Amino acid sequence: MARIPTAAVAATGLVGGYGVARWTKKRQLGGAVLAVAGAAAAQQWRRQAGGRAAGALTAAYVAAFAGSHPLAKKVGAWPSVVGVAGAVALASWAVADRHAA
């Protein structure tokens, strides 16, 4: 079975979590999507790149979520979410995915 790149999992968690929260008007449901995707990515990061890298990427994922809120006030909600998701995806690819077999 083909493994989904962690960059895609992490970006989908950020974008999907926001989308679910916005469209359902249930922030907790969006948070659940964010958390499940983050946990799945973290497990894969640990397997592919080790504990230190997984910790750093998990911190980047959480920081992206937190940072998207003040950024949204400057550029808008969707551009903010897409921007931070892209940054986390790039970091994930650079640290874990490009080395994966």
Side-chain angles (χ1 to χ4, degrees):
M1 184 169 144
R3 182 175 293 176
I4 299 170
T6 61
V9 174
T12 299
L14 289 160
V15 173
Y18 174 69
V20 166
R22 181 167 178 146
W23 288 315
T24 65
K25 301 205 185 328
K26 296 186 188 303
R27 294 177 71 183
Q28 298 86 349
L29 191 55
V33 170
L34 179 82
V36 168
Q43 276 188 318
Q44 208 169 329
W45 287 328
R46 190 166 40 84
R47 278 195 309 270
Q48 289 176 206
R52 266 198 173 144
L57 289 168
T58 300
Y61 185 80
V62 172
F65 167 69
S68 70
H69 292 81
L71 182 60
K73 292 178 181 178
K74 296 184 184 295
V75 300
W78 278 112
S80 173
V81 170
V82 170
V84 300
V88 169
L90 182 61
S92 182
W93 174 82
V95 173
D97 292 337
R98 74 178 170 150
H99 301 297

